[in-house]
Amino acid sequence: MANAGMGIALNESEARVLNESFGMVDVEVLPNAVAVATVRRRNIAGGDLNILFLARLHARKRPMLFAQAAVELARRGLTARYTIVGPDEGEARHVRDIIASAPAVDIRLTGPATAAEVADCFAAADIYVLPARGEPFGLTMLESLSAGTPVIADRDSPLGRQLAGLGLARLFDGTVEGLVDAIAALASDRSARSEIARIGPDIVQRHWGVGGMIRKLEKVYERTLEERKHLLGRRSGEAS
């Protein structure tokens, strides 16, 4: 670490850690990149909404919160299908308990999905919900938007806040009530969902596309090599 020419961080929080804990002054923030989906979502039309949770069924991802919100939304009269996709990491039994307690609510727990199936899930969804707290990045939000599907995220998510600033996501306060309100508002706003479907893939490509991120990384390496050459040349001159 002491001999590193510079640091590369996933987000601003990691950049601060490198600076404060390891004394790195030169830190470049390079977020994860995403390949824009080749399968674009279906046209927004009538019929029941498909509201998606796609993540590990881990406590930090909060699938229970999503299931609880689905039950409350049904109680409020929203007709929708709620799909929960992802491998079980401890929370599936709790989700099943919620599903069993509300048999009239259309909540489908489908298990893990392959990479190809994930793309299809996003393309078929009307809204993607990632209620995770303490999310380091949240690549699935970009995958969803690359298919033209709007996102709802916890407001403590740095990427969620950035996406909200670009008009691509809605934030909630971390509570079941807040999530219910956010889903209900976006579900009722077909024009907003249509606009996100139209502009989302292009914005994701511009900000987080794989090609652009490769070019940024190449520039970081080039700059680091030039600085290292300059430093070695100066030391050589001092030694002579």
Side-chain angles (χ1 to χ4, degrees):
M1 188 75 77
N3 293 323
M6 68 173 301
I8 298 175
L10 188 65
N11 52 46
E12 294 293 345
S13 177
E14 289 185 359
R16 284 194 296 273
V17 171
L18 289 173
N19 177 259
E20 295 169 3
S21 300
F22 299 99
M24 281 192 176
V25 177
D26 193 0
V27 179
E28 186 81 18
V29 175
L30 287 179
N32 286 328
V34 63
V36 172
T38 55
V39 179
R40 295 293 179 90
R41 71 178 309 278
R42 57 179 169 75
N43 291 329
I44 295 172
D48 295 347
L49 295 176
N50 179 18
I51 301 172
L52 174 68
F53 172 100
L54 193 153
R56 295 177 293 115
L57 272 64
H58 184 278
R60 186 175 65 76
K61 301 290 186 177
R62 301 200 294 175
M64 284 180 61
L65 193 78
F66 178 81
Q68 291 164 348
V71 173
E72 176 59 23
L73 283 159
R75 190 190 68 77
R76 291 191 186 185
L78 178 66
T79 302
R81 179 171 71 256
Y82 301 89
T83 306
I84 300 175
V85 180
D88 180 24
E89 294 194 4
E91 293 294 285
R93 61 191 177 92
H94 300 305
V95 171
R96 289 193 188 97
D97 288 342
I98 295 171
I99 294 172
S101 72
V105 184
D106 189 358
I107 307 175
R108 306 179 186 187
L109 181 60
T110 66
T114 66
E117 290 168 342
V118 165
D120 289 339
C121 287
F122 285 127
D126 294 284
I127 297 171
Y128 173 55
V129 179
L130 182 63
R133 300 218 89 178
E135 188 71 11
F137 187 67
L139 186 64
T140 53
M141 291 189 280
L142 298 182
E143 292 174 326
S144 175
L145 288 164
S146 78
T149 302
V151 166
I152 294 176
D154 192 295
R155 67 186 180 192
D156 88 330
S157 164
L159 178 60
R161 292 195 298 270
Q162 188 175 359
L163 294 172
L166 293 168
L168 303 178
R170 302 292 184 269
L171 304 179
F172 76 104
D173 63 3
T175 66
V176 174
E177 294 78 11
L179 181 55
V180 167
D181 290 342
I183 293 174
L186 192 52
S188 66
D189 195 343
R190 184 179 296 181
S191 64
R193 290 186 283 113
S194 296
E195 179 65 5
I196 291 171
R198 185 182 70 82
I199 67 174
D202 292 334
I203 293 178
V204 169
Q205 175 66 39
R206 190 161 63 248
H207 288 270
W208 295 278
V210 172
M213 208 59 65
I214 289 173
R215 288 189 291 275
K216 290 178 182 178
L217 188 57
E218 287 174 342
K219 289 180 180 178
V220 168
Y221 287 151
E222 288 169 0
R223 179 160 60 88
T224 303
L225 287 172
E226 286 301 317
E227 290 174 355
R228 182 64 56 150
K229 287 178 182 178
H230 177 72
L231 177 61
L232 291 174
R234 189 176 64 188
R235 286 178 179 175
S236 177
E238 290 172 352
S240 62

